[in-house]
């Protein structure tokens, strides 16, 4: 499996609960390297644009409001099979359905506030990384 990069977000609920370090530890334990990271507070326009693919879904307004409700950590994770591996470490979208030991099972309670985001395909990963970072921000260590 190729070395991939994926965009990860520690969402406002997990930042508010002081879980940044716990989530970063889980990424690193899974063999994912953090090659870029920044704390930011999304504007409404940014949150709407980032989740534009969901704009016609019934939960879109709630999702946007939640994502702009507090600061988030955005990071690029790199590693073998990084996109799938990150989603495995995060667990299912709904914490109630997430496997024990995953971020969403252990650190989140509702599908609205589910602790973490991870890109779902190589194409999405490229777009989402470019949404937050330039090439010069990425510090790949091989
Ligand atoms: P993912 O984050 O696991 O990739 P997506 O289907 O891309 O899941 O949905 C994006 C985000 O929208 C989810 O992480 C979750 O916070 C929110 N979401 C998805 N489905 C629902 C729902 O049925 N109700 C409320 N929020 C939802």
């Amino acid at each position: 499996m190729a070395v991939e990069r994926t965009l990860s977000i520690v969402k406002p609920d997990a930042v508010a609960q002081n879980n940044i370090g716990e989530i970063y530890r889980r990424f690193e334990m899974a063999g994912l390297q953090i090659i870029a990271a920044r704390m930011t507070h999304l504007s409404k326009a940014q949150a709407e644009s980032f989740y534009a693919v969901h704009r016609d879904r019934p939960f879109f307004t709630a999702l946007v409001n939640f994502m702009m409700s507090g600061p988030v950590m955005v990071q690029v994770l790199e590693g073998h099979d990084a996109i799938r591996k990150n989603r495995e470490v995060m667990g299912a979208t709904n914490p109630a359905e997430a496997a024990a030991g995953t971020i969403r099972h252990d650190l989140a309670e509702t599908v609205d506030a589910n602790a973490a985001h991870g890109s779902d395909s190589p194409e999405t990963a490229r777009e989402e990384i470019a949404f937050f970072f330039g090439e010069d921000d990425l510090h790949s260590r091989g």
Side-chain angles (χ1 to χ4, degrees):
M1 179 50 72
V3 172
E4 293 175 335
R5 291 172 177 174
T6 189
L7 192 278
S8 161
I9 303 178
V10 178
K11 292 186 176 182
D13 57 320
V15 172
Q17 289 164 32
N18 247 4
N19 278 328
I20 297 170
E22 172 62 23
I23 290 173
Y24 275 24
R25 186 187 70 83
R26 289 170 185 235
F27 294 151
E28 294 187 331
M29 291 294 285
L32 295 166
Q33 292 185 348
I34 298 161
I35 66 163
R38 183 168 86 245
M39 182 172 275
T40 186
H41 194 145
L42 297 178
S43 66
K44 184 162 194 254
Q46 282 178 310
E48 285 176 344
S49 170
F50 185 80
Y51 277 118
V53 67
H54 293 309
R55 65 182 166 271
D56 296 327
R57 309 285 287 275
F59 56 82
F60 180 67
T61 303
L63 175 61
V64 166
N65 285 338
F66 168 65
M67 289 302 290
M68 54 185 277
S69 67
V72 296
M73 285 295 300
V74 290
Q75 48 281 330
V76 178
L77 308 178
E78 184 176 86
H80 290 280
D81 202 12
I83 295 167
R84 188 197 59 76
K85 204 177 272 181
N86 178 41
R87 291 183 67 87
E88 189 176 297
V89 171
M90 286 197 303
T93 305
N94 186 345
E97 291 161 13
T102 62
I103 289 169
R104 284 165 166 171
H105 174 277
D106 296 350
L107 306 176
E109 273 164 24
T110 69
V111 71
D112 307 270
N114 59 1
H117 166 83
S119 309
D120 63 3
S121 72
E123 191 191 351
T124 313
R126 266 191 300 279
E127 289 171 9
E128 292 183 349
I129 290 169
F131 189 95
F132 289 107
F133 298 101
E135 222 16 74
D136 288 351
D137 298 322
L138 308 178
H139 301 280
S140 194
R141 301 185 292 284

